[in-house]
Amino acid sequence: MREYARLYIDGAWRVPGGEGMAEVIDPATEQVIGRVPLGAEADVERAVMAARRAFDGWARTPSSVRAGYITALAAQLRNRAAEMASVITDELGMPVQWCQAVQVEGPIAGLEQYAGLAGLMDEVREVGNSLVYREAVGVCAFINPWNYPLHQMIGKLAPALAAGCTVVVKPSQETPLHAFMLAEMIEAIGLPAGVFNLVSGPGAKVGEALARHPQVDMVSFTGSTGAGVRVAQAAAPTVKRVCLELGGKSPLLITADADLHAAVRHGVQDVMINSGQTCTALTRMLLPASRYAEALEIAEAETRTLVMGDPRDPASFLGPMCSASQRRTVLDYIRLGQEEGARLLCGGDTPAGFERGFYVAPTLFADVDNRMRIAQEEIFGPVLCLIPYADEAQALALANDSPFGLSSAVWAGSREHGLALARQIRAGQCFINGGGFNYQAPFGGYKQSGNGREWGEEGLAEFVEVKAVQC
Ligand code: NAD
């Protein structure tokens, strides 16, 4: 049991102004495994003002010193990597093998990258009679989701610290424990007081108070499109910068000349990792009609090999949904898919033997029409829609027929063929023939998937103001 009774504000653990604690539930056992404070507006006020006071000094700290703190944080995380992976497994339900790689090793790489990029803040560009300087945007508020909690946190925190910003962080109520561990590490490296502040609590209260606050210069939000819209509305009267990283319904376009086995197996695994609770999950598989029957067989066979089980068992490929309400949402969508006329190939319910824990079996729907709600809306569960197409023009039209544009993938007979298709898909990412995630490349969405970019130099730019000085 991990119990944190205090919030980390202004360089110390403070008694919260709010009343009560929120319970953290292990989604595999349904047991309470932790408690954190239910923060209140008074905590937001204290945290924002601490960040405000710390800002000038931190922004003026030499970039090499800021980089040193980021490197020290990476070292802390490396020292406590196994513990961090285990905490995220406990609060999220993602199998520990994935947690170690995706939720911990990735963030360490992300921190190291931004330690290397902090020096970019010192570069001055000359245009005509102007000198263009980069300066930190100011006090930043981070509102984070539960599905890749530390990855999302570091995607904001590392560039913000590199740029010279101070921050107030609000983790998701489902997965706050990793954020408290991170605050312990921040304390251990001796980051100046007020540079990092942590306030846990409900989104509608703590999140909106942060978005509204006139002393917050920028809010970076990752979560659902609906909550992102509310954050943008709350932030609008103070004209602060708002970076939104939202949901997706991403296509995997498999061409007729592709290696069908490799493509379909990759597509199934991509969706089922983290039980489908991945913003970039390739949940719409677009298949040539001429090879559709063959593809269904491969997809079903692959799905049946995936081991669902206790996330602490290294053999498990997928664990439970993060919460009871997420399981309800997913099961409702599965029922809706059947009502809409899609054909359930496998899964569709909680299998026998999984009565405890929020499990949903990996689910495949065949004969899906892209206009069905299960193909248009983000389900955020282990549900894959298999959609046939007649020719590549139709495949591209289907790929782009979505309110979202976060990610996409193409599996084609050649890299060139894949690239030609990738350029025609309206999404912030495209993975060709299984290309891997790159922390040096910008990540973010088109359309209703958001308006920001994280990672790489573009991720740093989110936290930068530019000043033109004419002389
Ligand atoms: P969510 O929108 O329910 O919550 C996200 C965060 O926003 C939480 O901290 C929550 O407390 C807070 N929040 C909720 N309502 C709020 C409000 N009115 N004002 C301020 N804050 C509020 O999302 P979730 O269920 O935690 O996460 C899943 C969603 O996140 C999915 O849609 C997924 O696609 C998306 N996501 C996107 C990315 C990306 O980079 N684009 C990455 C991960 C997750």
Side-chain angles (χ1 to χ4, degrees):
M1 174 73 115
R2 281 179 184 260
E3 191 150 337
Y4 292 93
R6 294 175 179 229
L7 297 169
Y8 190 73
I9 294 175
D10 206 9
W13 293 94
R14 315 274 177 189
V15 176
E19 280 179 16
M21 303 278 281
E23 290 182 337
V24 183
I25 308 287
D26 178 337
T29 64
E30 304 184 30
Q31 301 296 307
V32 177
I33 52 159
R35 286 193 183 84
V36 300
L38 275 169
E41 291 208 21
D43 300 308
V44 169
E45 185 62 25
R46 275 203 295 176
V48 170
M49 294 320 290
R52 181 87 269 158
R53 286 191 299 277
F55 174 68
D56 287 343
W58 179 245
R60 276 199 297 268
T61 300
S63 61
S64 58
V65 176
R66 295 200 304 271
Y69 281 111
I70 298 171
T71 303
L73 187 57
Q76 279 284 323
L77 190 50
R78 188 171 288 109
N79 287 342
R80 296 180 70 184
E83 183 190 358
M84 179 61 94
S86 150
V87 163
I88 297 176
T89 291
D90 289 349
E91 62 183 356
L92 170 62
M94 185 186 209
V96 69
Q97 55 156 328
W98 296 116
C99 270
Q100 182 73 36
V102 182
Q103 309 270 12
V104 182
E105 298 300 333
I108 291 172
L111 283 163
E112 287 169 345
Q113 182 200 161
Y114 281 108
L117 292 179
L120 286 181
M121 294 302 293
D122 304 329
E123 287 184 2
V124 183
R125 192 162 55 97
E126 258 192 89
V127 279
N129 68 327
S130 299
L131 297 173
V132 181
Y133 293 91
R134 295 174 180 193
E135 297 181 353
V137 73
V139 173
C140 301
F142 300 160
I143 304 173
N144 274 330
W146 45 260
N147 63 330
Y148 286 88
L150 188 66
H151 171 92
Q152 299 308 141
M153 172 81 84
I154 299 299
K156 302 177 194 307
L157 180 63
L161 294 179
C165 296
T166 57
V167 307
V168 182
V169 165
K170 191 206 91 62
S172 163
Q173 275 200 272
E174 280 80 3
T175 58
L177 298 176
H178 73 285
F180 284 80
M181 259 185 84
L182 185 69
E184 290 171 352
M185 297 179 196
I186 295 272
E187 187 180 27
I189 64 168
L191 196 70
V195 173
F196 174 96
N197 305 276
L198 170 64
V199 180
S200 49
K205 200 186 221 177
V206 172
E208 285 205 28
L210 284 167
R212 264 197 320 268
H213 203 293
Q215 292 294 332
V216 170
D217 299 295
M218 182 263 208
V219 56
S220 179
F221 171 89
T222 301
S224 60
T225 298
V229 168
R230 284 193 292 282
V231 164
Q233 286 168 337
T238 47
V239 199
K240 54 174 61 76
R241 185 178 298 180
V242 179
C243 290
L244 300 174
E245 305 289 341
L246 309 175
K249 192 76 189 181
S250 301
L252 163 56
L253 194 173
I254 299 176
T255 63
D257 63 351
D259 174 345
L260 197 66
H261 261 94
V264 172
R265 291 186 61 219
H266 171 86
V268 168
Q269 291 187 14
D270 177 273
V271 170
M272 301 308 170
I273 282 172
N274 208 15
S275 301
Q277 301 165 122
T278 303
C279 53
T280 53
L282 301 167
T283 46
R284 293 183 298 138
M285 188 183 285
L286 306 178
L287 292 155
S290 58
R291 305 189 70 185
Y292 191 64
E294 195 188 341
L296 296 191
E297 273 178 32
I298 300 167
E300 189 174 343
E302 179 62 19
T303 303
R304 292 192 190 281
T305 68
L306 300 178
V307 178
M308 187 168 80
D310 182 344
R312 278 160 286 263
D313 181 346
S316 297
F317 184 93
L318 72 168
M321 311 307 302
C322 177
S323 64
S325 80
Q326 192 60 27
R327 178 179 56 182
R328 234 183 349 265
T329 302
V330 174
L331 292 176
D332 285 349
Y333 268 112
I334 292 172
R335 220 179 358 264
L336 174 70
Q338 291 169 292
E339 286 164 15
E340 287 183 303
R343 180 159 59 96
L344 193 63
L345 275 188
C346 60
D349 213 335
T350 299
F354 288 93
E355 286 75 21
R356 184 185 290 270
F358 309 130
Y359 290 91
V360 176
T363 299
L364 299 183
F365 272 120
D367 305 342
V368 176
D369 182 314
N370 197 58
R371 297 312 304 168
M372 290 177 182
R373 280 181 60 197
I374 56 164
Q376 288 289 310
E377 299 174 17
E378 187 182 47
I379 298 174
F380 227 50
V383 183
L384 172 57
C385 295
L386 299 142
I387 304 172
Y389 68 82
D391 55 31
E392 281 182 9
Q394 191 198 10
L396 284 168
L398 291 171
N400 288 325
D401 179 14
S402 169
F404 298 108
L406 184 57
S407 189
S408 62
V410 174
W411 207 293
S414 70
R415 184 172 179 267
E416 291 62 38
H417 187 184
L419 277 171
L421 293 167
R423 292 302 307 274
Q424 298 175 72
I425 298 177
R426 300 282 299 163
Q429 301 260 305
C430 190
F431 297 85
I432 294 179
N433 293 357
F437 190 87
N438 180 1
Y439 279 92
Q440 294 173 318
F443 175 92
Y446 285 21
K447 301 194 263 182
Q448 290 181 32
S449 289
N451 59 13
R453 289 295 179 272
E454 292 186 336
W455 306 111
E457 288 190 25
E458 287 83 356
L460 183 69
E462 300 282 9
F463 298 95
V464 173
E465 286 281 19
V466 283
K467 177 181 283 174
V469 175
Q470 286 61 245
C471 47

